[in-house]
Amino acid sequence: MNVVKSEPPDLRSIRKLLDRKEEQNLSPYATPNARAVRRRAEELLIEGYRQAFSVDVDRILHSHAYTRYIDKTQVFYLIRNDHITHRVLHVQLVSKIGRSIGRFLGLNEDLIEAIALGHDIGHTPFGHDGERFLSQLCQEHGIGSFHHNVQSVHFLDLVERKGKGWNLCLQTLDGILCHDGEVHTPELAPHRNKSFADLQAEMAAKVSHSSTELVPMTLEGCVVRMVDTVAYIGRDIEDAIRLGLIGRSELPSASVAVLGNTNGTIVFRLTTDIIRTSYGKDFVAFSPEVSEALKQLKGFNLERIYLNPRMKPHTALLRELFKRLFDRFLEELETRRMDSVIFQGFLNGMSDDYLGRHRPAEVVRDFIAGMTDRYFLDLCPEALRPGYLPSGNGEA
């Protein structure tokens, strides 16, 4: 019996075959891997078999900042309840829902995943409250306002790997920068043909003028921006019910009639509506009826959950702790206190490029923004650390 010996496959040719299949099978509005752009060419990637946006996914997953998601607040903080959503779960939900939509619309699922997993990397401890406190301090020290989407790009591009960054694709970084899920957008079409210079200009504009509107350059980025809302709106309601903050019967009836009153139903109906409304189009959109129902539900969440004083008894104390830590680390930087944790834990081994392009206040900003909730509290005076709130007895 003759045994036919086969040569091992040329893995680079397999990647090129996959790239050609994408050009044939993806929507004409999608972003194929072959169009990915990086700041720096890498021979290993040029000669290797990995597709560009899949590499970005892995680099984000292996970043230090990604591991810190696990103890980063999504909405509710200082609560001992293991079923309350943390940011690590939120980005995974955005990724899963986004890839499901991308599959039906013929988009690049790897790019959607990369943007989704990286979009909140720059969030501060204690969620949007922490972001607001840190932004006030940044403005007081003359380095502009703080925005977690800008910080996400900054971390991945200039802080990770001791200042060398991950050299992610432009399309990935742009989607992360432009993901603003707090803004209600019924329809979103990409602003294509951006460059790395455009990315830097948009980041600078956002820091200088907080009202600057940013629009993704890819349809995949538009999907993630819309899905950011889909992933959190119903999940936040379930968490609030679990904590006894609201009752399910209190949800606005007009929204419930269209979207349902559970997270699963809300996600399903929003996802289905995006697919139906956006299929074959060069934009992503909700239908008018669903868009209005979602807008009403977001208004309910803002009033009854996000601004509810019952869940924010420590706001003034946390603001003071942010200021104390900022002032402390800034002084330790300027006086060269080499035994400080900002030197030992953050700047140790940092590249000359990072050190040369960042003012002391910017270094402190990066250090604090990267902290988990627990690490932040560990660095505060023990006598000032806030206590935990009741975990709630609402329905599961």
Side-chain angles (χ1 to χ4, degrees):
M1 181 177 182
N2 294 327
V3 178
V4 178
K5 293 184 178 180
S6 60
E7 294 295 322
D10 177 356
L11 296 180
R12 184 184 178 190
S13 68
I14 294 176
R15 187 198 77 204
K16 290 183 176 180
L17 176 63
L18 291 174
D19 287 348
R20 286 196 296 273
K21 283 184 175 180
E22 281 188 345
E23 295 284 359
Q24 297 167 0
N25 297 329
L26 291 182
S27 162
Y29 307 122
T31 310
N33 278 279
R35 298 184 202 166
V37 180
R38 296 186 193 277
R39 288 189 190 275
R40 302 181 300 279
E42 296 182 42
E43 184 176 356
L44 181 63
L45 299 183
I46 295 171
E47 300 298 327
Y49 63 91
R50 300 291 308 285
Q51 290 185 290
F53 299 125
S54 177
V55 170
D56 281 5
V57 170
D58 286 355
R59 289 182 173 185
I60 291 169
L61 283 171
H62 287 287
S63 69
H64 285 166
Y66 186 88
T67 65
R68 295 194 295 267
Y69 270 142
I70 196 168
D71 189 35
K72 291 262 193 175
T73 290
Q74 175 64 14
V75 172
F76 303 101
Y77 51 78
L78 294 172
I79 294 174
R80 296 191 188 278
N81 188 317
D82 292 337
H83 295 133
I84 297 301
T85 306
H86 279 61
R87 205 155 293 276
V88 67
L89 177 58
H90 169 69
V91 301
Q92 291 167 348
L93 293 171
V94 174
S95 175
K96 184 63 181 76
I97 299 167
R99 284 182 286 122
S100 295
I101 292 173
R103 188 170 305 150
F104 281 95
L105 299 185
L107 304 181
N108 192 316
E109 293 180 48
D110 283 338
L111 177 55
I112 289 173
E113 183 174 23
I115 296 170
L117 294 181
H119 81 278
D120 276 350
I121 286 279
H123 249 299
T124 64
F126 304 107
H128 286 284
D129 286 346
E131 181 172 14
R132 188 172 70 255
F133 304 151
L134 186 55
S135 186
Q136 292 168 350
L137 292 164
C138 288
Q139 291 175 70
E140 289 172 10
H141 288 84
I143 59 173
S145 56
F146 178 91
H147 300 274
H148 75 269
N149 54 333
V150 175
Q151 189 68 20
S152 295
V153 174
H154 183 67
F155 269 141
L156 292 166
D157 214 20
L158 296 175
V159 181
E160 280 280 326
R161 301 177 68 228
K162 292 300 181 181
K164 290 185 288 187
W166 284 105
N167 193 29
L168 300 182
C169 297
L170 170 64
Q171 293 90 340
T172 300
L173 294 173
D174 170 82
I176 290 171
L177 176 65
C178 301
H179 79 263
D180 196 350
E182 282 72 52
V183 177
H184 182 68
T185 309
E187 180 179 313
L188 193 62
H191 290 181
R192 301 187 185 276
N193 302 316
K194 293 185 189 179
S195 65
F196 274 107
D198 295 323
L199 178 76
Q200 295 304 128
E202 289 185 346
M203 291 173 68
K206 190 68 174 177
V207 170
S208 299
H209 305 284
S210 296
S211 61
T212 299
E213 183 179 356
L214 304 175
V215 179
M217 67 182 291
T218 66
L219 205 54
E220 290 82 358
C222 293
V223 166
V224 172
R225 176 161 159 178
M226 303 287 268
V227 168
D228 191 17
T229 302
V230 176
Y232 76 66
I233 190 75
R235 187 81 193 187
D236 292 350
I237 288 170
E238 299 295 342
D239 285 348
I241 291 172
R242 182 172 289 112
L243 294 172
L245 198 62
I246 61 172
R248 202 175 298 277
S249 62
E250 299 175 64
L251 299 178
S253 58
S255 292
V256 170
V258 176
L259 300 177
N261 67 352
T262 67
N263 179 53
T265 305
I266 291 168
V267 169
F268 177 78
R269 292 184 181 176
L270 289 174
T271 298
T272 303
D273 186 70
I274 289 175
I275 293 169
R276 284 176 171 164
T277 310
S278 310
Y279 186 80
K281 308 291 198 319
D282 190 18
F283 59 79
V284 184
F286 295 110
S287 65
E289 180 187 28
V290 168
S291 176
E292 181 58 31
L294 177 59
K295 184 177 180 180
Q296 290 180 19
L297 195 58
K298 291 180 76 170
F300 172 85
N301 279 21
L302 179 64
E303 178 183 352
R304 298 295 305 279
I305 300 174
Y306 310 139
L307 299 180
N308 193 318
R310 285 176 53 196
M311 298 310 299
K312 298 178 183 292
H314 301 306
T315 299
L317 176 56
L318 283 173
R319 181 185 289 109
E320 175 62 23
L321 292 175
F322 265 83
K323 177 174 172 51
R324 281 178 176 245
L325 288 190
F326 198 103
D327 291 347
R328 167 191 162 187
F329 294 129
L330 187 59
E331 180 185 7
E332 290 174 348
L333 267 183
E334 292 173 340
T335 58
R336 305 290 295 174
R337 280 278 307 276
M338 301 305 294
D339 60 338
S340 167
V341 294
I342 197 168
F343 283 104
Q344 298 295 319
F346 181 65
L347 290 178
N348 185 27
M350 193 66 84
S351 70
D352 291 338
D353 282 345
Y354 177 88
L355 297 173
R357 64 163 59 104
H358 289 82
R359 289 175 282 174
E362 293 171 324
V363 174
V364 174
R365 173 201 65 199
D366 290 351
F367 183 41
I368 292 178
M371 293 179 184
T372 62
D373 295 13
R374 176 189 52 78
Y375 186 63
F376 178 96
L377 293 176
D378 286 347
L379 294 177
C380 295
E382 187 172 358
L384 294 180
R385 295 173 194 169
Y388 282 79
L389 300 173
S391 62
N393 296 309
E395 64 180 273

